[in-house]
């Protein structure tokens, strides 16, 4: 006889009573309801939940909605899933006794409850279905030599796809022969410093990632800061820096302060490179994501022989996909390849083929457009919450990327960071990104990464942020 679903500690029927009222997507509401059922003890530890199809039919939801909700709760530790055992309530997910008296003494959470740190995309939005379908198509079509030792320059399929994509979306002027695949921008810095293209003294923006400065310092490359204003780096200062023949910039969206490099300065830095026989390294870390207008084209398009262009999928797809690219002047391809070695040791060839298929099929463009809408909505919600709860806190920079800078009253940055930590909120202060030799200092501020929290957790993260902000003077 076939086994039926019954309400018990072992299995639960598909007629499980769940309250699906409240704001948010159907997926978010279902996740919230399942968590509540576990906390209240209506779903005991070890209880086996109905299959996706059964629960979806009973609740009038799409099967994928239930599947995604289960996957999210498995990732959070509320549920477990094993082949042949189904999806169960985790043994450690014991309900909280209703008679428990709340603690009256405030205490700091053991770890971050909310994550608003910069540089983190929405991992839940990774295009799993499109990626897996592209992987199947790519591997089925791949020639046998794709499974041998990897070419250090990267697979031709990916370099051709990137040459087309970067040309039409970012205004990059290149051919596949001038592209070298790497595992991300940090790897690009190691390659460029390892082969001597970046050496001696390198001009950088006065605010940026300390991790990148540390990599350069380890390669005996001394970084000299250029001051910043509303038009980006003051590239006119390059003329006064002796021995400097290269500069690292984030022209589309200065990291982290948020402004673009002004049109006159874009031309000026290219003219400087031509006159000094120098180079510009353009870090286009989030150039696809601009919300108030079409993205500005890459500086590389002004002079492909003087500008090296670097990008990756760490913001558009996921930092777990270790793929990036360098678009180089023709004369620099050989030394970079010599620094990589005879075989590809960093970038997975199957991943390269998959990304190439994702781009050529149009799925990558569709994903970027979808994430552009999602991140624009996240930013709008953040700005609206600030306008309502803390109108004296002003977001600065352009509407772009995965982070926003919030200007704070003078002398409050460190106290706000401490208050955020007490709220269980992981957050970056603007001063953490300042070059130690910088002569300029930006006003106190927060670098708020609005992409990282899951959709269902975003409102709570913004609420925690608002509670940590200082009151109006």
């Amino acid at each position: 006889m076939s086994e039926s679903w019954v309400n018990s500690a072992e299995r639960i029927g598909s007629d499980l009573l769940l309250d699906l009222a409240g704001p948010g997507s159907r997926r978010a509401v279902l996740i919230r309801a399942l968590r509540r059922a576990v906390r209240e003890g209506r779903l005991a530890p070890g209880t086996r939940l109905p299959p996706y199809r059964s629960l979806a039919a009973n609740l009038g939801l799409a099967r994928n909605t239930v599947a995604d909700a289960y996957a999210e709760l498995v990732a959070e530790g509320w549920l477990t899933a094993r082949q042949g055992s189904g999806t169960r309530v985790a043994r450690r997910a014991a309900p909280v006794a209703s008679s428990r008296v709340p603690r009256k003494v405030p205490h700091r959470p053991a770890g971050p409850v909310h994550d608003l740190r910069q540089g983190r995309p929405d991992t839940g939005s990774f295009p799993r279905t499109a990626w897996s379908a592209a992987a199947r198509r790519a591997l089925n079509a791949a020639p046998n030599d794709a499974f041998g030792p990897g070419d250090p320059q990267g697979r031709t399929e990916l370099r051709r796809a990137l040459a087309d994509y970067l040309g039409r979306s970012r205004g990059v002027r290149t051919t596949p022969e001038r592209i070298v695949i790497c595992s991300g921008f940090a790897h690009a810095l190691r390659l460029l410093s390892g082969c001597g293209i970046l050496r001696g003294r390198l001009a950088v923006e006065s605010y940026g990632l300390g991790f990148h400065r540390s990599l350069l310092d380890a390669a005996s490359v001394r970084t000299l800061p250029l001051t910043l204003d509303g038009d980006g780096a003051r590239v006119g200062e390059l003329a006064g820096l002796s021995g400097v023949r290269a500069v690292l910039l984030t022209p589309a969206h200065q990291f982290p302060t948020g402004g673009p490099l002004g049109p006159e300065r874009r031309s000026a830095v290219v003219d400087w490179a031509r006159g000094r026989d120098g180079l510009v390294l353009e870090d286009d870390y989030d150039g696809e994501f601009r919300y108030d207008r079409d993205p500005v084209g890459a500086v590389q398009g002004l002079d492909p022989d003087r500008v090296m262009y670097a990008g990756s999928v760490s913001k558009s797809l996921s930092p777990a996909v270790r793929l990036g690219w360098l678009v180089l002047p023709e004369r620099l391809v050989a030394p970079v390849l010599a620094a990589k070695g005879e075989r590809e040791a960093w970038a997975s060839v199957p991943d390269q083929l998959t990304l190439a298929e994702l781009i050529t099929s149009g799925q990558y463009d569709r994903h970027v457009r979808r994430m552009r809408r999602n991140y624009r909505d996240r930013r709008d919600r953040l700005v609206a919450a600030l306008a309502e709860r803390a109108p004296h806190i002003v977001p600065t920079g352009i509407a772009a990327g995965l982070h926003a800078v919030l200007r704070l009253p003078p002398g409050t940055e460190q106290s706000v960071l401490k208050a955020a930590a007490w709220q269980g909120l992981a957050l970056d202060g603007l001063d953490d990104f300042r070059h130690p030799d910088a002569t300029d200092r930006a006003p106190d501020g927060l670098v708020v990464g609005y992409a990282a929290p899951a959709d269902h957790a975003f409102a709570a993260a913004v609420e925690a942020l608002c509670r940590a902000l200082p009151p109006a003077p």
Side-chain angles (χ1 to χ4, degrees):
M1 176 182 291
S2 62
E3 191 174 29
S4 61
W5 291 97
V6 294
N7 288 312
S8 69
E10 172 63 16
R11 308 189 89 165
I12 196 78
S14 58
D15 59 343
L16 169 66
L17 179 62
L18 294 173
D19 180 7
L20 299 184
S25 66
R26 303 296 286 170
R27 170 181 173 274
V29 170
L30 176 59
I31 289 173
R32 192 161 58 237
L34 286 169
R35 285 202 202 100
R36 188 182 305 118
V38 174
R39 283 197 302 267
E40 294 173 353
R42 292 188 292 114
L43 287 178
T47 300
R48 184 175 179 181
L49 298 183
Y52 307 148
R53 185 180 291 107
S54 300
L55 188 59
N58 181 259
L59 298 177
L61 300 176
R63 181 184 176 189
N64 285 345
T65 299
V66 178
D68 288 348
Y70 278 13
E72 174 72 19
L73 293 173
V74 168
E76 292 178 359
W78 292 86
L79 306 178
T80 61
R82 293 183 180 178
Q83 186 74 24
S85 182
T87 304
R88 296 176 180 268
V89 179
R91 292 288 178 185
R92 60 182 174 278
V96 178
S98 58
S99 60
R100 181 179 177 182
V101 178
R103 294 185 57 173
K104 296 184 180 300
V105 179
H107 65 284
R108 181 176 177 177
V113 178
H114 309 290
D115 189 351
L116 289 178
R117 287 172 291 184
Q118 60 78 31
R120 290 162 166 78
D122 178 7
T123 55
S125 294
F126 183 81
R128 303 183 192 204
T129 300
W131 181 267
S132 60
R136 287 193 298 271
R137 294 193 302 269
L139 293 178
N140 287 336
N144 291 337
D145 67 357
F147 304 100
D151 181 348
Q153 188 164 1
R155 289 295 304 181
T156 57
E157 296 91 339
L158 179 55
R159 289 187 285 114
R160 284 197 300 266
L162 284 171
D164 175 70
Y165 172 76
L166 296 174
R168 59 182 167 78
S169 68
R170 304 296 299 120
V172 172
R173 295 160 56 193
T174 189
T175 63
E177 292 72 29
R178 294 169 67 161
I179 297 176
V180 175
I181 302 302
C182 57
S183 67
F185 188 70
H187 186 207
L189 286 179
R190 291 188 178 99
L191 291 173
L192 293 172
S193 58
C195 69
I197 292 174
L198 299 181
R199 64 185 185 277
R201 293 154 67 87
L202 172 71
V204 298
E205 296 157 334
S206 59
Y207 281 73
L209 277 177
F211 172 59
H212 292 164
R213 293 194 295 266
S214 298
L215 288 177
L216 294 164
D217 182 66
S220 300
V221 178
R222 182 187 175 192
T223 57
L224 304 177
L226 301 173
T227 59
L228 295 167
D229 61 20
D231 286 325
R234 292 176 173 171
V235 297
E237 297 174 0
L238 287 167
L241 299 178
S242 63
V244 171
R245 295 178 62 183
V247 58
L248 165 59
L249 300 173
T250 52
H253 186 213
Q254 200 286 320
F255 180 85
T257 61
L261 189 65
E264 292 183 359
R265 293 184 184 180
R266 292 162 68 95
S267 298
V269 74
V270 170
D271 290 340
W272 169 84
R274 290 170 177 166
R276 186 68 67 91
D277 189 25
L279 290 166
V280 178
L281 174 54
E282 179 176 12
D283 178 9
D284 195 26
Y285 67 100
D286 66 0
E288 299 98 337
F289 298 112
R290 181 148 183 181
Y291 314 126
D292 58 346
R293 51 164 292 175
D294 289 337
V296 176
V299 172
Q300 190 268 1
L302 298 177
D303 193 337
D305 290 328
R306 291 295 171 189
V307 182
M308 303 176 291
Y309 175 91
S312 76
V313 298
S314 64
K315 305 296 187 296
S316 59
L317 283 176
S318 165
V321 181
R322 304 302 304 152
L323 288 178
W325 45 86
L326 273 169
V327 180
L328 298 165
E330 186 176 2
R331 67 186 183 282
L332 301 183
V333 173
V336 169
L337 291 179
K340 281 197 80 174
E342 295 183 0
R343 296 184 178 185
E344 177 58 64
W346 295 79
S348 160
V349 170
D351 283 352
Q352 292 184 53
L353 294 171
T354 300
L355 179 58
E357 173 62 24
L358 201 70
I359 294 172
T360 56
S361 68
Q363 290 294 330
Y364 184 74
D365 288 81
R366 283 188 279 276
H367 173 72
V368 169
R369 288 195 297 270
R370 179 168 65 89
M371 298 314 300
R372 193 180 292 142
R373 291 191 297 269
N374 288 354
Y375 293 150
R376 179 179 58 200
D377 177 68
R378 293 277 188 98
R379 189 181 191 279
D380 289 347
R381 290 164 62 188
L382 171 64
V383 171
L386 291 171
E388 179 182 353
R389 298 283 304 278
H392 58 293
I393 304 297
V394 181
T396 63
I398 59 175
L402 279 63
H403 74 273
V405 175
L406 308 186
R407 183 169 296 177
L408 298 174
T412 63
E413 182 174 317
Q414 291 305 311
S415 62
V416 171
L417 290 174
K418 290 180 181 178
W422 276 92
Q423 295 287 343
L425 178 61
L427 197 61
D428 294 309
L430 185 56
D431 196 58
D432 292 338
F433 301 95
R434 184 172 178 264
H435 193 290
D437 298 329
T439 58
D440 59 329
R441 183 179 292 276
D444 281 22
L446 301 175
V447 182
V448 179
Y450 45 76
D455 283 338
H456 69 274
F458 184 70
V462 173
E463 173 66 22
L465 171 65
C466 290
R467 289 196 299 267
L469 294 174

